[in-house]
Amino acid sequence: MRWWLGSKTNFTMPEFTAELEATFAFEGGRTELQHKFHKSPLKIAKTFMRDDKQLGVCIMDCSPGMMAGDKYRLDWRLLPQSNVFITNQSYTKVHPSAEYPAYQLQSFYVDQGARLEYKPEPIMLYKEASFRADTEIKLEAGAVAFVTEVVCPGRVLRDEVFQYVRYDSQLQVYYENQLIYYNRQNIEPDSTKSDFRRLGSWENYTHQGTFYIFSDQLKSEYLKPIQELLERYPHLHAGASLTYKYGLIISVLGKSVWELQQLLDEAWLMMKLMVA
């Protein structure tokens, strides 16, 4: 794989420096971890049963974070009727990596009637960090996927705001092998090509949060209560819309992690009642 970053950096990424694979199956009336494989520093710290009979999974990264040239691969497979909640222990911290960017490739396969809830801790982009994340979600009939993402501009208390080099995120979602959603976001704070903090864009906001819901159970009337919820957070810049097919997206800009998470958590609980 070739990685491009401006006119001076063009190199071949190394083999994956960390890998994690997991397969979940619904057996004996409960979801179980059927198979796992990991390559340090990534590993599954533990699994646990949640109150709603959902299997919880916690990812651990034994390193201080993603360093220059790190390349992570995570592959998740949810077999029919399995129900899994995935999170991690702490922020995904991306260290200075301007010359050799960090990269994460993550794929989810959610089989018929299975439910994925992926709610990781925020991404923290340190000064001089360069990070690309490619995510692919493949859904079968009756599958549900809840996915959140929160991105921090740096260590704000150190006045490290938008001092990273590049944040490049790509998401592709398939339903029965048909592409139903594609999103690409590329931010280069020092780029002269565009001013992402101009009026009508990010303006004076610093933190970004997104909540993706995909399911063939989604109905258009689910959008209105979500929009009404967003109106109760006037200090945030938020919006919600339906996608081309089987999707609802909530996007929000704010000035701190906690205020984004407060809104996204409330929206999560609301959508969980509607898409049971």
Side-chain angles (χ1 to χ4, degrees):
M1 175 179 179
R2 300 295 291 182
W3 178 275
W4 178 86
L5 181 60
S7 60
K8 295 183 179 180
T9 305
N10 189 4
F11 67 95
T12 302
M13 290 294 289
E15 293 299 318
F16 292 110
T17 55
E19 297 181 79
L20 191 154
E21 298 176 0
T23 300
F24 303 92
F26 184 75
E27 298 176 346
R30 58 185 291 174
T31 299
E32 296 183 352
L33 176 59
Q34 187 181 72
H35 162 79
K36 68 175 179 177
F37 163 80
H38 71 265
K39 177 181 177 182
S40 184
L42 290 179
K43 65 178 292 186
I44 293 178
K46 63 178 179 178
T47 61
F48 51 93
M49 292 304 299
R50 292 162 58 87
D51 292 340
D52 50 5
K53 296 184 179 180
Q54 183 180 55
L55 183 67
V57 178
C58 186
I59 308 165
M60 181 173 70
D61 185 341
C62 302
S63 71
M66 298 191 75
M67 303 296 182
D70 274 351
K71 186 179 179 185
Y72 286 9
R73 182 183 73 88
L74 299 95
D75 182 75
W76 307 92
R77 298 182 64 83
L78 280 65
L79 300 185
Q81 306 304 317
S82 55
N83 187 351
V84 182
F85 175 89
I86 302 171
T87 188
N88 53 359
Q89 287 186 325
S90 63
Y91 283 34
T92 297
K93 297 175 284 292
V94 185
H95 291 259
S97 43
E99 185 175 359
Y100 299 103
Y103 176 68
Q104 177 174 284
L105 174 65
Q106 186 158 219
S107 60
F108 299 91
Y109 176 70
V110 191
D111 212 332
Q112 294 183 3
R115 185 183 189 94
L116 164 70
E117 296 185 5
Y118 179 60
K119 196 175 187 181
E121 292 296 316
I123 297 169
M124 175 67 75
L125 300 164
Y126 287 5
K127 182 178 180 180
E128 298 298 319
S130 182
F131 180 53
R132 173 161 178 170
D134 288 339
T135 304
E136 181 182 79
I137 302 173
K138 291 188 174 181
L139 306 170
E140 299 296 343
V144 176
F146 281 20
V147 177
T148 63
E149 179 183 69
V150 175
V151 182
C152 305
R155 292 169 289 189
V156 177
L157 295 180
R158 298 188 182 189
D159 294 323
E160 189 180 89
V161 180
F162 293 116
Q163 294 183 25
Y164 60 85
V165 175
R166 188 183 193 189
Y167 172 66
D168 187 354
S169 176
Q170 177 179 262
L171 171 64
Q172 298 180 75
V173 181
Y174 294 83
Y175 177 82
E176 295 188 326
N177 294 319
Q178 176 191 9
L179 181 64
I180 61 170
Y181 182 78
Y182 176 85
N183 183 63
R184 175 81 179 272
Q185 179 176 234
N186 181 45
I187 300 176
E188 299 177 57
D190 288 337
S191 174
T192 58
K193 297 178 182 178
S194 63
D195 179 12
F196 73 98
R197 303 199 73 180
R198 66 186 182 277
L199 185 66
S201 186
W202 281 57
E203 300 182 0
N204 62 341
Y205 296 105
T206 53
H207 295 65
Q208 179 186 37
T210 313
F211 180 18
Y212 302 95
I213 306 102
F214 292 99
S215 169
D216 54 16
Q217 303 173 37
L218 272 175
K219 298 178 182 179
S220 59
E221 54 261 37
Y222 294 169
L223 180 60
K224 186 175 181 180
I226 290 295
Q227 292 174 329
E228 291 173 348
L229 169 65
L230 301 186
E231 291 174 358
R232 301 206 299 267
Y233 289 82
H235 57 292
L236 302 177
H237 188 62
S241 63
L242 298 170
T243 66
Y244 152 70
K245 192 174 187 179
Y246 301 146
L248 191 156
I249 313 297
I250 301 170
S251 298
V252 55
L253 294 175
K255 297 179 181 178
S256 66
V257 167
W258 71 265
E259 60 183 4
L260 297 188
Q261 289 181 326
Q262 184 180 37
L263 170 56
L264 295 177
D265 285 350
E266 193 169 348
W268 181 289
L269 293 174
M270 181 180 291
M271 288 305 304
K272 193 164 182 176
L273 292 174
M274 291 188 283
V275 187

